[in-house]
C-alpha cells in the first residue's frame, strides 16, 4: 500500500467509525487479475 493509499484507507475507516484493520477486513476479498479481466472484457 502506498502512503497516499494508507491515508485514504484511514480516512474512510474514520468516517465509518472503524479502525483500519476492521475496515480492511470488512471490504471482502480482493479480485484476482483474471477475474477483473473476464469482467471488463
Amino acid at each position: 500500500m502506498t502512503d497516499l493509499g494508507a491515508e485514504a484507507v484511514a480516512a474512510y475507516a474514520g468516517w465509518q467509525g472503524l479502525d483500519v484493520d476492521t475496515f480492511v477486513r470488512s471490504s471482502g476479498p480482493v479480485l484476482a487479475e483474471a477475474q477483473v479481466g473476464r469482467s471488463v472484457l
Side-chain angles (χ1 to χ4, degrees):
M1 183 180 325
T2 65
D3 290 340
L4 179 59
E7 289 181 33
V9 168
Y12 280 110
W15 288 332
Q16 293 185 16
L18 302 171
D19 61 78
V20 171
D21 289 332
T22 302
F23 176 77
V24 171
R25 282 194 310 267
S26 72
S27 64
V30 176
L31 294 175
E33 292 102 7
Q35 292 172 306
V36 174
R38 282 192 302 270
S39 298
V40 172
L41 299 176

